[in-house]
Amino acid sequence: MTLSPVFRSPEAVRLLEEKGVWDKLAPSMEAEARAVNILYEDLGRIVDRSFLQEERRVPESGEMHSAEGLAFLQEYFFLILFHSLFEALGVGRRRLEFYAELNFCIKGTITAADNLFDDQAKSLLPLKDASGPRFLSILQLMSFERLIRRACDRAAEAGVISEGDTQEILKGLLNRMARIGELEGSEEGGVEEIPTPDAMVARVHEVRGGALFALAFVGPSVLEVGGLGRAFGEAEPAIARLGTAFQIVDDLTDFEFDVGRKSHNLLVSEIHHNGSSQERKALEGIWESGDVPAGTVEGLFRRSARAVLERAYEEAESAFEKLQDLGYWFPTPLAREVVHAIVGLEGVARMEAISGEE
């Protein structure tokens, strides 16, 4: 999913440093690190220590430019970006603290649920994994359900939210997550229909990526009113477009995985509906067998892959332009570089091959 660690290649790290992004995000990195530490402390109060490994170290103030700081930025980049944006829009300190905790719990819940769909074992909590990856994901889900309630209770005790606000936020999160989950569940047995690219973006990527990113706005949609509420109402679609862009990029790097399990993939759609006769013929055999020869995306399917990448550029550029209109500092000219930088190390060469000159 698009909340996975990003900016992991040396080129991506240089982008963060040379363009000043790392420096400008440092205060929000510190704020998110404090939130994670608070929730790690909560974890020790809600589950027996026998289920915990040594607590995962979170960088402290003044360590944000260390190797540990970089690892934290890579893991939590989007949560840090959301905090930075919320602060720029004018959210006060106590609400920012609550949103930082809430968004960590959202990321953790989505990660654990995604594990179950994809048979993975990613964890944001220092839980022992001796009993198997599936149980670890279930234990994470149960833990995050308790942690999110503790975050809400803490905010209520501080006078930041009311019990009524808590109920609205929890209901809103569950409903939105359930809609995203419905899409994931619909692909469990594979898909037969290949929608057009426009239809797939609207039905799949705007949910799997856009609605996922928009989960960060559930709290503000309940709590923020007046001019600030209106600003959040304008920022949410922009962040959703950013999520859509990054989900499109995921389809390029996850092509083999998606073909293997017969799930929706925008490159498959682009080739099926708009590709050359050579591309379409090759796709027929690949879709039937589930086997993708090495180098196919960068080679035979490069023209269609470039069309998909251009769509991701457009979504990201539109998102950052809107955020700049709202007064956010992130430079729109970096949109294309950010699209490249979000891929994991294994996707760097593919992105370079697709985006390079003919």
Side-chain angles (χ1 to χ4, degrees), residues 37 78-79 88 122-123 138 157 163 176 182 197 220 231 269 286 294 312 343 357:
N37 267 327
F78 296 117
L79 304 193
K122 295 171 288 186
S123 177
I138 293 170
E157 290 170 6
E163 178 58 28
R176 292 206 199 190
E182 280 184 326
S269 174
I286 286 172
V343 301
E357 297 295 327

Side-chain angles (χ1 to χ4, degrees), residues 1-158:
M1 295 294 288
T2 49
L3 288 177
S4 298
V6 295
F7 289 91
R8 289 181 288 178
S9 72
E11 293 78 9
V13 174
R14 279 197 294 273
L15 169 68
L16 292 172
E17 291 178 319
E18 293 173 2
K19 303 298 183 180
V21 174
W22 197 339
D23 285 333
K24 289 187 176 180
L25 288 178
S28 290
M29 289 173 63
E30 292 188 6
E32 193 61 47
R34 286 193 295 273
V36 173
N37 267 327
I38 288 170
L39 289 160
Y40 279 1
E41 290 175 6
D42 283 346
L43 182 66
R45 299 185 181 101
I46 65 172
V47 67
D48 191 85
R49 290 284 174 182
S50 63
F51 291 105
L52 302 179
Q53 50 181 270
E54 284 189 29
E55 289 190 13
R56 196 176 298 178
R57 188 173 183 278
V58 176
E60 299 176 359
S61 178
E63 295 182 328
M64 294 304 150
H65 277 280
S66 66
E68 289 176 336
L70 174 60
F72 187 82
L73 178 59
Q74 291 166 327
E75 178 68 56
Y76 297 108
F77 175 80
F78 296 117
L79 304 193
I80 293 163
L81 184 73
F82 299 156
H83 182 280
S84 175
L85 171 62
F86 291 2
E87 186 173 37
L89 292 178
V91 176
R93 178 180 61 82
R94 287 190 171 182
R95 284 252 174 100
L96 282 171
E97 290 171 352
F98 170 59
Y99 293 149
E101 292 181 31
L102 186 65
N103 285 334
F104 174 73
C105 291
I106 291 170
K107 174 177 167 66
T109 301
I110 291 295
T111 298
D114 201 41
N115 284 345
L116 295 175
F117 280 116
D118 295 343
D119 291 323
Q120 295 179 331
K122 295 171 288 186
S123 177
L124 300 188
L125 297 174
L127 296 166
K128 289 183 180 176
D129 57 0
S131 297
R134 194 164 297 160
F135 172 73
L136 175 62
S137 295
I138 293 170
L139 183 56
Q140 282 191 84
L141 285 172
M142 293 190 292
S143 297
F144 275 115
E145 183 181 4
R146 295 287 302 279
L147 290 173
I148 201 167
R149 181 68 207 212
R150 287 183 71 93
C152 289
D153 288 347
R154 186 164 30 250
E157 290 170 6

Side-chain angles (χ1 to χ4, degrees), residues 51-291:
F51 291 105
L52 302 179
Q53 50 181 270
E54 284 189 29
E55 289 190 13
R56 196 176 298 178
R57 188 173 183 278
V58 176
E60 299 176 359
S61 178
E63 295 182 328
M64 294 304 150
H65 277 280
S66 66
E68 289 176 336
L70 174 60
F72 187 82
L73 178 59
Q74 291 166 327
E75 178 68 56
Y76 297 108
F77 175 80
F78 296 117
L79 304 193
I80 293 163
L81 184 73
F82 299 156
H83 182 280
S84 175
L85 171 62
F86 291 2
E87 186 173 37
L89 292 178
V91 176
R93 178 180 61 82
R94 287 190 171 182
R95 284 252 174 100
L96 282 171
E97 290 171 352
F98 170 59
Y99 293 149
E101 292 181 31
L102 186 65
N103 285 334
F104 174 73
C105 291
I106 291 170
K107 174 177 167 66
T109 301
I110 291 295
T111 298
D114 201 41
N115 284 345
L116 295 175
F117 280 116
D118 295 343
D119 291 323
Q120 295 179 331
K122 295 171 288 186
S123 177
L124 300 188
L125 297 174
L127 296 166
K128 289 183 180 176
D129 57 0
S131 297
R134 194 164 297 160
F135 172 73
L136 175 62
S137 295
I138 293 170
L139 183 56
Q140 282 191 84
L141 285 172
M142 293 190 292
S143 297
F144 275 115
E145 183 181 4
R146 295 287 302 279
L147 290 173
I148 201 167
R149 181 68 207 212
R150 287 183 71 93
C152 289
D153 288 347
R154 186 164 30 250
E157 290 170 6
V160 175
I161 63 175
S162 67
E163 178 58 28
D165 295 331
T166 293
Q167 296 306 317
E168 272 197 75
I169 290 169
L170 295 178
K171 182 179 179 180
L173 283 173
L174 181 58
N175 286 337
R176 292 206 199 190
M177 287 181 181
R179 292 191 182 99
I180 298 170
E182 280 184 326
L183 172 63
E184 298 291 338
S186 71
E187 296 182 0
E188 285 187 45
V191 298
E192 295 182 4
E193 177 196 6
I194 302 178
T196 65
D198 287 346
M200 185 175 288
V201 168
R203 287 160 46 185
V204 177
H205 297 73
E206 289 180 8
V207 176
R208 181 172 285 148
L212 176 69
F213 273 45
L215 288 172
F217 286 76
V218 172
S221 71
V222 173
L223 300 175
E224 308 303 341
V225 296
L228 187 52
R230 288 190 291 274
F232 268 94
E234 292 184 57
E236 180 174 345
I239 289 296
R241 290 198 77 169
L242 197 58
T244 299
F246 294 165
Q247 185 59 50
I248 289 171
V249 174
D250 272 1
D251 278 16
L252 292 174
T253 57
D254 291 349
F255 180 79
E256 291 85 352
F257 179 74
D258 289 343
V259 167
R261 66 174 186 170
K262 297 292 190 295
S263 61
H264 289 301
N265 182 282
L266 192 58
L267 179 54
V268 170
S269 174
E270 179 65 30
I271 296 168
H272 181 75
H273 292 281
N274 302 319
S276 67
S277 58
Q278 184 183 17
E279 285 181 317
R280 291 198 303 271
K281 182 177 180 181
L283 178 64
E284 288 179 9
I286 286 172
W287 187 252
E288 181 65 28
S289 68
D291 180 35

